[in-house]
């Protein structure tokens, strides 16, 4: 049975009537305040090309509203479809309130909820009693939210859960575009994949291009590394990451923590470049070693199989030249590869038992050696050590040995500061042995020269011992790091002079230089 709604006296030119297309039974009812059509059986209604189907409905002619029951189905001209058990529709505003087994779809993506308010003009559906959006293999659910079928933007609020074959998300509030597949974070969120866990409160992640941008304090943790910063930008496909602002990077395999203002990471080449006041911490129990430099760079140790030839053309015209550059081939780099670390310039070293300064340093996993270069100086309690280059060998994150290949010079302050008495040893090479990061024994050879202030059993000074030899062993007091004994070996020449007969101002070996003003006195200096 086909019926047409009776024309209302209150109709205006702006009003678009809801038309009755079909119903098996219809009854027109008019009261003092309203006039409506009661429709039963395969009801079909239409408004501006929007079709509504249901088992039964009441069409209010005065207000241009519909109340529909049973197998409610809406189809819009662009293919958008909605279904529910119940519908209350306001024709003049195009607002549809749907309840009971609600579904809303554009043909590709589907939204389900028990209650949805759907604006058929703006194509925005909202829910407040829990809802789920299915987009391809990605399922998103939350307590409340909205989905714009025109722009494909969805917003999820409270107890947000996302399930995808590649990742899972738990969030307080986030957005998702079903077309671009971009996830937007607006509140505390945790993203978990099989290899990492990300925590953030803002930013975006493009799941297709695998691009992440988090302009707020965020962190990411994998099995081997942890990274935290005020700003993180990451291209997963290229393996390139940028972290800025109070960066904290922890390498659990090497037991190293990096603090800096900026870190550039290339995962394919396995390189890290740290700038803006970087400080490196080598975790070692209660006496960790801290190193500061202007710049730190870490990369795998190159092998012949890693290199590929890259030709760079420079200049113009006839002056154009080809320069061959060797670069690492990232396809041959694996996690087990040994690495090297370079720090340059203005290097400072600090631990409770050892401090140091030099222009540049390098460290290699291959020999576990830290090389201090260009005017290096080390201090250990009351002792100062210098040389052309100083090598420090590590064993399980602790210092085990020191080696100076040329111009070794050890100065140890004897007595109080105001006395300005210095035990001195110099020679060509020096080998030192550590225990719990403190110097225990030193071997100097050849061409050894010493000035040593001898004391008796009560600690009173006896005189000054000047000696030369081919070899010399020196034992250190572990706590004070001052000289406890000296043993000369081979070609020994000694001279003892009573203290009162010595001009103390001249008791300096050639090359003597005392540098307390360069010594870092606290850990805070490295972070200034």
């Amino acid at each position: 049975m086909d019926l047409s709604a009776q024309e209302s006296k209150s109709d205006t030119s702006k009003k678009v009537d809801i038309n009755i297309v079909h119903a098996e039974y219809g009854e027109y009812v008019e009261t003092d305040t309203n006039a409506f059509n009661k429709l039963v059986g395969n009801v079909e209604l239409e408004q501006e090309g929007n079709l509504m189907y249901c088992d039964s409905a009441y069409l209010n002619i005065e207000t241009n509203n519909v109340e529909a029951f049973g197998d409610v189905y809406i189809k819009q001209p662009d293919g958008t479809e909605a279904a529910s058990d119940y519908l209350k529709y306001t024709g003049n505003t195009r607002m549809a309130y749907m309840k009971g087994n609600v579904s809303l779809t554009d043909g590709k993506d589907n939204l389900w909820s028990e209650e949805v308010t759907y604006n058929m003009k703006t194509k925005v559906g909202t829910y407040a009693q829990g809802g789920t959006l299915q987009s391809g293999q990605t399922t998103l659910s939350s307590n409340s939210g909205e989905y714009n079928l025109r722009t494909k933007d969805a917003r999820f609020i409270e107890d947000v859960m996302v399930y995808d074959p590649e990742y899972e998300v738990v969030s307080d509030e986030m957005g998702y575009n079903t077309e671009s597949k971009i996830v937007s974070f607006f509140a505390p969120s945790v993203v978990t994949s099989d290899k990492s866990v990300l925590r953030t409160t803002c930013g975006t992640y493009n799941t297709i291009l695998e691009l992440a941008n988090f302009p707020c304090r965020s962190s990411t943790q994998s099995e081997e590394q942890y990274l935290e910063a005020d700003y993180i930008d990451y291209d997963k496909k290229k393996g390139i990451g940028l972290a800025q602002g109070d960066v904290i990077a922890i390498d659990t395999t090497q037991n190293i923590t990096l603090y800096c203002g900026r870190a550039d990471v290339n995962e394919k080449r396995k390189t890290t470049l740290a700038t803006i006041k970087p400080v490196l911490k080598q975790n070692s129990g209660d006496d960790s070693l801290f190193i500061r430099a202007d710049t730190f760079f870490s990369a795998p140790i190159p092998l012949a199989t890693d290199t590929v030839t890259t030709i760079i053309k420079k200049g113009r015209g006839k002056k154009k030249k080809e320069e061959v550059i060797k670069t690492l081939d990232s396809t041959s780099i694996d996690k087990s590869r040994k690495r090297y670390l370079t720090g340059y310039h203005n290097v400072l070293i600090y631990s409770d038992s050892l401090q140091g300064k030099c222009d540049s340093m390098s460290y290699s996993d291959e020999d576990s050696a830290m090389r201090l270069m260009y005017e290096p100086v080390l201090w250990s309690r009351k002792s100062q050590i210098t040389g052309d280059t100083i090598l420090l060998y590590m064993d399980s994150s602790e210092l085990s040995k020191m080696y100076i290949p040329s111009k070794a010079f050890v100065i140890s302050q004897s007595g109080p500061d105001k006395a300005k008495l210095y035990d001195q040893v110099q020679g060509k090479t020096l080998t030192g042995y550590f225990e719990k990061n403190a110097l225990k024994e030193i071997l100097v050879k050849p061409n050894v020269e010493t000035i040593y202030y001898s004391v008796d059993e009560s600690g009173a000074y006896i005189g000054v011992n000047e000696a030369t030899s081919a070899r010399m062993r020196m034992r250190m007091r572990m706590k004070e790091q001052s000289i406890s004994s000296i043993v000369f070996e081979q070609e020994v020449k000694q001279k003892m002079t009573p203290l009162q007969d010595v001009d103390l101002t001249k008791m300096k070996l050639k090359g003597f230089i005392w540098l307390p003003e360069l010594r870092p006195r606290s850990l805070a200096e490295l972070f200034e």
Side-chain angles (χ1 to χ4, degrees):
M1 175 179 185
D2 294 330
L3 296 176
S4 298
Q6 300 296 315
E7 185 177 347
S8 170
K9 296 178 181 180
S10 62
D11 284 344
T12 65
S13 59
K14 295 181 180 180
K15 178 183 176 183
V16 179
D17 287 333
I18 298 172
N19 300 310
I20 302 171
V21 178
H22 178 267
E24 293 180 1
Y25 171 81
E27 180 181 352
Y28 175 71
V29 180
E30 188 172 3
T31 66
D32 294 337
T33 57
N34 286 309
F36 60 87
N37 281 316
K38 179 181 178 181
L39 308 169
V40 179
N42 295 321
V43 178
E44 182 179 351
L45 306 174
E46 183 274 337
Q47 183 187 40
E48 290 189 318
N50 296 305
L51 300 176
M52 290 172 274
Y53 303 87
C54 61
D55 291 341
S56 62
Y58 290 98
L59 171 60
N60 191 310
I61 301 170
E62 187 68 28
T63 60
N64 203 33
N65 296 339
V66 172
E67 191 170 8
F69 306 88
D71 291 331
V72 179
Y73 173 67
I74 297 174
K75 186 173 183 179
Q76 296 188 269
D78 63 356
T80 301
E81 299 177 1
S84 64
D85 296 335
Y86 170 81
L87 166 69
K88 189 173 184 179
Y89 178 68
T90 304
N92 295 340
T93 61
R94 312 299 194 274
M95 294 297 296
Y97 168 72
M98 310 179 74
K99 184 175 181 180
N101 299 312
V102 182
S103 67
L104 190 61
T105 180
D106 59 3
K108 294 192 336 182
D109 305 310
N110 299 278
L111 174 67
W112 295 286
S113 179
E114 278 302 301
E115 292 185 29
V116 172
T117 299
Y118 177 52
N119 188 319
M120 292 175 61
K121 184 180 292 186
T122 64
K123 304 185 74 62
V124 176
T126 62
Y127 61 89
Q129 302 298 322
T132 300
L133 177 67
Q134 181 75 43
S135 178
Q137 292 183 301
T138 306
T139 302
L140 309 96
S141 63
S142 65
N143 288 350
S144 60
E146 68 175 38
Y147 178 46
N148 189 319
L149 284 85
R150 182 170 293 159
T151 65
K152 311 303 180 184
D153 286 318
R155 187 78 169 241
F156 304 91
I157 302 171
E158 293 182 0
D159 294 336
V160 183
M161 302 288 292
V162 181
Y163 299 95
D164 185 273
E166 299 297 324
Y167 62 91
E168 293 182 4
V169 181
V170 177
S171 176
D172 290 339
E173 184 175 358
M174 62 163 280
Y176 182 72
N177 187 287
T178 58
E179 193 167 70
S180 67
K181 307 299 183 183
I182 294 177
V183 180
S184 301
F185 302 98
F186 305 105
S189 307
V190 179
V191 182
T192 305
S193 67
D194 60 340
K195 295 182 179 179
S196 64
V197 176
L198 166 72
R199 288 177 171 83
T200 188
T201 57
C202 70
T204 60
Y205 179 61
N206 188 316
T207 60
I208 295 177
L209 300 178
E210 296 184 306
L211 297 174
N213 178 262
F214 305 113
C216 58
R217 195 70 184 172
S218 305
S219 70
T220 177
Q221 184 170 5
S222 65
E223 185 178 350
E224 299 174 344
Q225 291 184 325
Y226 172 84
L227 176 66
E228 180 180 335
D230 292 337
Y231 175 92
I232 296 177
D233 206 6
Y234 179 57
D235 186 330
K236 187 176 180 180
K237 288 186 176 180
K238 293 182 179 180
I240 297 174
L242 165 65
Q244 288 181 295
D246 290 331
V247 179
I248 302 174
I250 301 174
D251 188 325
T252 56
T253 59
Q254 295 186 314
N255 214 21
I256 290 175
T257 302
L258 172 67
Y259 307 89
C260 62
R262 173 175 176 141
D264 293 85
V265 179
N266 188 316
E267 289 186 342
K268 292 188 176 181
R269 297 191 183 277
K270 305 293 189 296
T271 62
T272 300
L273 176 67
T275 55
I276 308 179
K277 301 179 181 179
V279 176
L280 195 69
K281 177 184 178 183
Q282 176 70 60
N283 301 306
S284 179
D286 297 330
D287 192 20
S288 295
L289 188 68
F290 292 83
I291 306 172
R292 191 194 78 181
D294 292 343
T295 301
F296 282 113
F297 179 74
S298 176
I301 297 173
L303 300 176
T305 55
D306 293 331
T307 57
V308 294
T309 301
T310 304
I311 298 177
I312 307 295
K313 293 184 178 181
K314 294 184 176 182
R316 295 180 179 178
K318 294 181 179 179
K319 295 183 178 180
K320 202 166 189 179
K321 296 180 179 179
E322 291 187 352
E323 180 181 349
V324 177
I325 296 177
K326 294 286 188 177
T327 57
L328 281 178
D329 180 3
S330 60
T331 59
S332 62
I333 302 172
D334 56 44
K335 294 179 182 179
S336 62
R337 175 69 59 84
K338 292 185 181 297
R339 301 178 63 81
Y340 73 90
L341 169 73
T342 302
Y344 54 92
H345 301 275
N346 302 312
V347 175
L348 290 179
I349 297 171
Y350 185 87
S351 72
D352 290 341
S353 56
L354 189 73
Q355 298 83 47
K357 186 182 188 304
C358 62
D359 177 76
S360 301
M361 61 77 63
S362 68
Y363 175 80
S364 172
D365 286 339
E366 199 163 43
D367 56 8
S368 299
M370 182 188 302
R371 292 162 175 82
L372 309 183
M373 298 167 285
Y374 308 109
E375 300 180 351
V377 188
L378 284 179
W379 295 271
S380 182
R381 299 295 189 265
K382 292 186 176 183
S383 297
Q384 172 187 292
I385 303 168
T386 57
D388 272 359
T389 300
I390 299 177
L391 284 76
L392 297 173
Y393 292 87
M394 312 291 290
D395 183 12
S396 300
S397 302
E398 286 191 354
L399 293 171
S400 62
K401 189 175 77 170
M402 171 174 58
Y403 179 67
I404 300 176
S406 179
K407 295 183 179 180
F409 204 127
V410 181
I411 304 173
S412 184
Q413 193 170 7
S414 180
D417 294 347
K418 63 181 179 180
K420 294 185 178 180
L421 303 179
Y422 305 98
D423 295 327
Q424 303 157 56
V425 178
Q426 73 173 354
K428 183 180 179 182
T429 69
L430 179 149
T431 304
Y433 300 93
F434 290 87
E435 185 177 297
K436 296 182 179 179
N437 284 348
L439 270 172
K440 181 181 180 181
E441 185 178 356
I442 292 174
L443 170 65
V444 182
K445 64 176 185 178
N447 305 325
V448 180
E449 297 179 72
T450 68
I451 292 177
Y452 180 66
Y453 291 86
S454 299
V455 295
D456 59 20
E457 293 179 357
S458 65
Y461 286 102
I462 301 172
V464 180
N465 189 336
E466 298 176 77
T468 61
S469 68
R471 292 165 55 96
M472 184 221 70
R473 291 185 183 274
M474 183 167 57
R475 289 191 174 275
M476 308 293 292
R477 296 183 180 91
M478 296 292 289
K479 186 175 182 181
E480 298 84 2
Q481 284 293 275
S482 59
I483 298 172
S484 65
S485 67
I486 295 178
V487 177
F488 298 99
E489 303 171 356
Q490 301 175 9
E491 303 175 15
V492 181
K493 294 180 181 180
Q494 294 190 74
K495 181 179 71 172
M496 173 69 77
T497 306
L499 202 61
Q500 64 271 19
D501 298 334
V502 176
D503 184 354
L504 297 178
T505 61
K506 294 182 178 180
M507 287 294 99
K508 304 287 192 301
L509 293 174
K510 185 180 178 180
F512 175 94
I513 182 169
W514 184 242
L515 303 167
E517 70 280 0
L518 301 181
R519 184 178 190 173
R521 295 291 177 179
S522 68
L523 181 58
E525 289 184 37
L526 274 66
F527 286 93
E528 288 177 353

